Amino acid sequence: MPLILPPRLTASARVLRDTARRRGLPTVQLPDREVPEGLRGPETHLHAGPAFADAVAPALGIAPLEAPSDWLARLPAAFVRRGIRAMPIREAYALRRPAFVKSPNDKSIPALVYTDGSRLPGPDAVDPETTVLVSDIVAFEAEYRLHLLDGRVHTGSRYATAGRLDLGPLSASARAFGSEVLGAVGDTLPSAIVVDVGVLGTGGWAVIEANAAWAGGCYAADPDRALDVVLRAAGPAASLPERDGRFVRRVA
């Protein structure tokens, strides 16, 4: 059951690598995007960024799971507490107000507050049909990452306070809000995923975004439990649960 890793490792990737080794799971750090003969196997898993995953997952027979690109925009208003729309970036060019804009499932559009649509990457740099999430601008007092597995909060931690990196334990309130979200819309997510939640400056809990567990940081979460989620989130396509088929990342 090897865990495949990219050439350059983040701090979280090193933690997950070491955790896998303590479990007795082999790890393979590829020097580039070429997949050696014989590496593909029935129990191969992956932890890497989206671009690297897109390059190697098909050859490895891995099915990376992610939330639908418009998942955040379709959540009930009570769970987001701000206006959010999913649209092709060609429509976002028409924005004439400041908005927070990001790519749903990768970093192709930097997650920033843009003063208007003219500040977004242009059609010479981005396919005009690329989906972006356009959100009202809000501030979060504290932000938490929840690692979700089979409809439950498996582990998690705080990762920011007032917009600055600040690692800490998962609060009971963050866990409770995550469980509430899962109880209402858990069927709209894959069985293994990361969801970020936070406390707004104006009060109340809100979902920040969903992220692919195989590409996300684990911060101060229990590394063994975070690894559980990663292994499910990017495992062999042949073992994919039927419910997760619609959540497999598609390579353009």
Side-chain angles (χ1 to χ4, degrees), residues 89-146:
I89 195 171
R90 58 177 169 74
E91 292 184 15
Y93 292 145
L95 286 170
R96 291 299 175 262
R97 60 175 176 83
F100 181 79
V101 183
K102 71 179 295 290
S103 300
N105 288 317
D106 56 41
K107 308 297 183 185
S108 60
I109 309 298
L112 297 170
V113 172
Y114 294 86
T115 54
D116 59 48
S118 70
R119 303 294 183 176
L120 290 164
D124 57 330
V126 179
D127 184 333
E129 298 304 316
T130 299
T131 299
V132 294
L133 294 173
V134 178
S135 170
D136 292 342
I137 301 167
V138 296
F140 287 92
E141 287 186 353
E143 299 169 59
Y144 295 81
R145 172 152 293 178
L146 308 176

Side-chain angles (χ1 to χ4, degrees), residues 60-74:
L60 290 167
I62 290 174
L65 304 179
E66 64 184 9
S69 60
D70 62 347
W71 179 79
L72 190 66
R74 291 191 288 110

Side-chain angles (χ1 to χ4, degrees), residues 114-193:
Y114 294 86
T115 54
D116 59 48
S118 70
R119 303 294 183 176
L120 290 164
D124 57 330
V126 179
D127 184 333
E129 298 304 316
T130 299
T131 299
V132 294
L133 294 173
V134 178
S135 170
D136 292 342
I137 301 167
V138 296
F140 287 92
E141 287 186 353
E143 299 169 59
Y144 295 81
R145 172 152 293 178
L146 308 176
H147 299 258
L148 310 179
L149 184 65
D150 291 330
R152 295 175 180 269
V153 179
H154 199 58
T155 187
S157 69
R158 186 184 69 229
Y159 64 87
T161 301
R164 295 187 178 183
L165 185 67
D166 182 23
L167 305 187
L170 179 64
S171 72
S173 297
R175 180 183 289 273
F177 178 65
S179 297
E180 180 185 353
V181 173
L182 281 170
V185 299
D187 62 336
T188 65
L189 288 169
S191 64
I193 190 76

Side-chain angles (χ1 to χ4, degrees), residues 3-61:
L3 176 65
I4 308 302
L5 299 162
R8 299 179 63 181
L9 301 184
T10 63
S12 286
R14 289 193 292 271
V15 168
L16 293 170
R17 176 200 62 191
D18 295 344
T19 301
R21 289 174 175 174
R22 283 199 302 272
R23 284 193 189 183
L25 305 180
T27 64
V28 178
Q29 187 175 353
L30 296 180
D32 52 40
R33 297 182 182 185
E34 295 295 322
V35 176
E37 290 291 332
L39 187 57
R40 177 175 178 161
E43 292 295 331
T44 305
H45 301 264
L46 176 71
H47 179 74
F52 190 83
D54 287 348
V56 305
L60 290 167

